[in-house]
Amino acid sequence: MDRHALAWLRWSGIAGIAGSVGYAIGDVLLLGNSATAAEFPHLASHLDNLLVQRSAVFLASSTERLAAGALVGVFSTPLYLAGIWHIFQASTPGGPRWSVPPFLLLVIAISTAPFVHGSFFYVAEILKAIGQVDGPAQETLIALATRTALWLFIAYGGLAVPALIGFAWLTIAIARGKTLYAPWVACANPIVCMLAASLVHRALPQPFKLLLSGAGLSLGMLAFFALSTAVLWNSPISPSPER
């Protein structure tokens, strides 16, 4: 690897860290509160609705906070994609078989992420409007929010499947020595990092436990990009060819 390639490897890793921070901030703004459906009288007749129960965290937040949470993630996506390029660069030693398929799968997944992340804003705004209308209109809004959430979670599945396959492919490549990573990094692959982050935040003191309750996936990717950038920072530099 020459100095130019190493610089790209470093900066794309830093970009991945920054993109993960952006998504984590968005998660905190969207989901970082403890509101429940029982706190909102106008939802009393809808407490048996699973969507209303799970979406109550949105209702205590202002439109401005929800919009900021949605947009900061959307605008962080190019940085996230640069982080995927960082992973691709680290996977090139094994050849196209080990580098191209996970790269394409992860690009497909991350390209879907801004739609998924940003769409929570629309579901939240629909649910917030329930308290501003009468009974029959409330049922219409609940049905609209349910349909919107259904397609949102279908899109989420379209993100999760290629991401899981891509990360699994990457992990096998790392374990088999087909990348710039040391084989032990396979034990700290993105899937492990995301699972760990989704559990570790529960041990944090308040208010961090509450604020980070919905940011486990973003924090996991932040941890992996930070680990990857640190591990590869001093990758061997090949001598420049003589001219």
Side-chain angles (χ1 to χ4, degrees), residues 82-130:
I84 301 305
W85 177 253
H86 168 85
I87 293 174
F88 170 73
Q89 289 178 298
S91 303
T92 53
R97 176 183 178 184
W98 295 104
S99 58
V100 174
F103 173 70
L104 294 178
L105 287 164
L106 294 176
V107 166
I108 291 170
I110 302 305
S111 297
T112 309
F115 172 80
V116 174
H117 182 89
S119 293
F120 281 102
F121 170 77
Y122 303 110
V123 176
E125 285 295 291
I126 293 170
L127 291 171
K128 287 178 67 177
I130 293 174

Side-chain angles (χ1 to χ4, degrees), residues 20 189-190 193-195 197-198 215-225:
S20 300
N189 65 72
C193 287
M194 287 187 284
L195 290 173
S198 298
L217 300 183
S218 299
L219 291 175
M221 285 307 300
L222 170 59
F224 181 78
F225 280 129

Side-chain angles (χ1 to χ4, degrees), residues 17-114:
I17 293 171
S20 300
V21 170
Y23 266 89
I25 292 173
D27 293 336
V28 168
L29 292 173
L30 285 170
L31 303 170
N33 68 69
S34 59
T36 64
E39 298 174 29
F40 302 92
H42 65 278
L43 296 179
S45 59
H46 306 289
L47 293 181
D48 59 339
N49 186 295
L50 183 60
L51 174 65
V52 171
Q53 293 176 16
R54 296 295 178 86
S55 301
V57 291
F58 299 130
L59 305 183
S61 299
S62 66
T63 294
E64 291 75 16
R65 172 173 172 164
L66 293 171
L71 291 176
V72 71
V74 170
F75 292 148
S76 296
T77 302
L79 295 172
Y80 223 122
L81 287 169
I84 301 305
W85 177 253
H86 168 85
I87 293 174
F88 170 73
Q89 289 178 298
S91 303
T92 53
R97 176 183 178 184
W98 295 104
S99 58
V100 174
F103 173 70
L104 294 178
L105 287 164
L106 294 176
V107 166
I108 291 170
I110 302 305
S111 297
T112 309

Side-chain angles (χ1 to χ4, degrees), residues 154-171:
I154 289 175
Y156 197 96
L159 182 161
V161 171
L164 287 172
I165 297 173
F167 287 140
W169 202 308
L170 171 67
T171 300

